[in-house]
Amino acid sequence: MKRLIPLIISLLILAFIYWKIDFAGLIQVFQNCDRGWMFISLSMVIPLTMLTAWRLQQLMPAGRGLGFGEANRLILAASVLNMVLPSKMGDIVKAYFMKKRGHLDGSLSLSLVVFEKACDLLSLLLWCAFGLILHHEKSLLFLAMTAAVAFGLVTGIMLLGSRKFTEIFLRMARKIAPQKFRSKIEKFQTSWREMQQFFWQDKKQLLKITTTSIFIWFCHLLQIWFFILALNAWTPFLANLALSPLAILAGLLPLTFAGVGTRDAALIAFYKPYFAAPTAAALGLLCTSRYLLPAIGGLPFLGYYLASIQDMREVKK
């Protein structure tokens, strides 16, 4: 029943949104869309997946080869799990697959995936902070969001770069956290320490991964802007850099199914000055397709990984 709660919340939010905006208006938006831009924007899922897979290859230690095809399969399989697990936990399961397939040992595979996700989050916050700083809206709400995003960005950079800061931060987290979470924080601290030690020993490689992550997220936000053009709407690109990351962050909250509902509501609220609610709701559906299409493509590979792990267990018996 616990697993059904996020899905129920998502469906309730969507039902309320479509009831308020006039569902017929939403259908009309798609009927009047620009099919050329729609094809371009949806097709961006393919190169973005491939670029993410290439980055995963670059993250691997020397001598631990990971083929490009295998990297793509891992990314797609994780996409399936990200649709049903909260806060992108499917990527953590990817570390388990990498361990079981013999690519890395357990702690290093977790460290690698944690670093990969940290780079993604910090890149998203970087573009969000950049867009919010240049955004013309200077209301109290936007100033507060700018401060929160900047704080998160600086904290994340400090956690990646400073071992001393990390130790202090996680020590405080253990004291504040409920008893049942303290052992998990300790395990995370061990993985994080190993990740810092591994990735900071090669500054050139670290720079390559960082710049690649920033570029990947620029392309993700560019794709959302292309969605807007496909819907025959308009938002200045700099405004989109500020607003679309905020909606993505809202979708990461572990309240709904794959962010559906919270992300849609955030898009309607943030893009209200630029286009009507039916268009924003259509944008929400297209943003969900960014996660849905790779998940559909990853279904066969998820079964393959689960079956191969089961086979390994039987051999060990």
Side-chain angles (χ1 to χ4, degrees), residues 60-311:
M60 297 293 289
R64 299 289 187 92
L66 179 68
F68 185 62
E70 178 81 349
N72 274 280
R73 288 192 291 270
L74 282 166
I75 296 295
L76 291 171
S79 298
V80 182
L81 295 170
N82 281 335
M83 288 295 295
V84 295
L85 297 176
S87 302
K88 299 290 184 179
M89 288 301 293
D91 289 295
I92 303 301
V93 179
K94 181 171 67 182
Y96 175 77
F97 289 150
M98 293 172 72
K99 173 190 173 185
K100 289 297 182 182
R101 297 278 295 173
H103 297 298
L104 293 171
D105 62 60
S107 59
L108 185 56
S109 65
L110 180 59
S111 300
L112 186 148
V113 171
V114 166
F115 180 75
E116 181 188 31
K117 292 302 103 186
C119 283
D120 279 337
L121 181 58
L122 290 179
S123 298
L124 179 63
L125 290 175
L126 176 66
W127 285 118
C128 187
F130 177 75
L132 283 169
I133 290 169
L134 298 180
H135 192 42
H136 65 84
E137 177 68 57
K138 299 300 178 186
S139 66
L140 186 60
L141 174 62
F142 272 85
L143 289 174
M145 287 190 293
T146 303
V149 168
F151 176 77
L153 179 62
V154 172
T155 302
I157 292 172
M158 290 292 291
L159 285 170
L160 275 180
S162 171
R163 294 182 186 179
K164 187 175 181 180
F165 179 82
T166 302
E167 294 295 327
I168 295 170
F169 183 88
L170 293 178
R171 198 182 305 133
M172 291 174 60
R174 282 203 312 271
K175 290 180 179 178
I176 297 170
Q179 185 68 38
K180 62 179 180 179
F181 292 115
R182 290 178 185 176
S183 61
K184 293 181 181 179
I185 293 174
E186 287 179 12
K187 290 179 182 177
F188 176 78
Q189 187 171 1
T190 302
S191 297
W192 194 268
R193 193 183 297 119
E194 183 177 359
M195 177 271 294
Q196 285 179 318
Q197 183 178 354
F198 175 73
F199 287 105
W200 279 99
Q201 65 187 3
D202 188 344
K203 303 288 195 304
K204 189 180 291 186
Q205 182 73 354
L206 181 65
L207 179 62
K208 183 200 291 188
I209 299 302
T210 303
T211 52
T212 302
S213 299
I214 292 171
F215 177 69
I216 286 173
W217 273 98
F218 175 81
C219 292
H220 278 300
L221 302 180
L222 181 65
Q223 182 189 30
I224 293 174
W225 191 61
F226 285 170
F227 283 154
I228 295 172
L229 299 183
L231 295 172
N232 285 316
W234 173 253
T235 302
F237 184 65
L238 283 177
N240 183 69
L241 284 181
L243 302 177
S244 54
L246 291 174
I248 292 171
L249 290 169
L252 292 178
L253 296 173
L255 303 172
T256 55
F257 177 79
V260 175
T262 48
R263 185 171 53 245
D264 300 74
L267 287 168
I268 292 172
F270 291 139
Y271 283 90
K272 189 176 181 180
Y274 300 102
F275 41 77
T279 303
L283 179 60
L285 290 174
L286 290 175
C287 285
T288 299
S289 74
R290 297 174 59 249
Y291 307 98
L292 183 60
L293 292 176
I296 293 171
L299 281 171
F301 303 122
L302 179 64
Y304 165 76
Y305 282 114
L306 293 175
S308 64
I309 290 170
Q310 183 62 34
D311 290 343

Side-chain angles (χ1 to χ4, degrees), residues 27-35 230-232:
I27 301 299
Q28 189 68 35
V29 170
F30 279 112
Q31 288 176 339
N32 296 334
C33 73
D34 185 309
R35 286 168 175 75
L231 295 172
N232 285 316

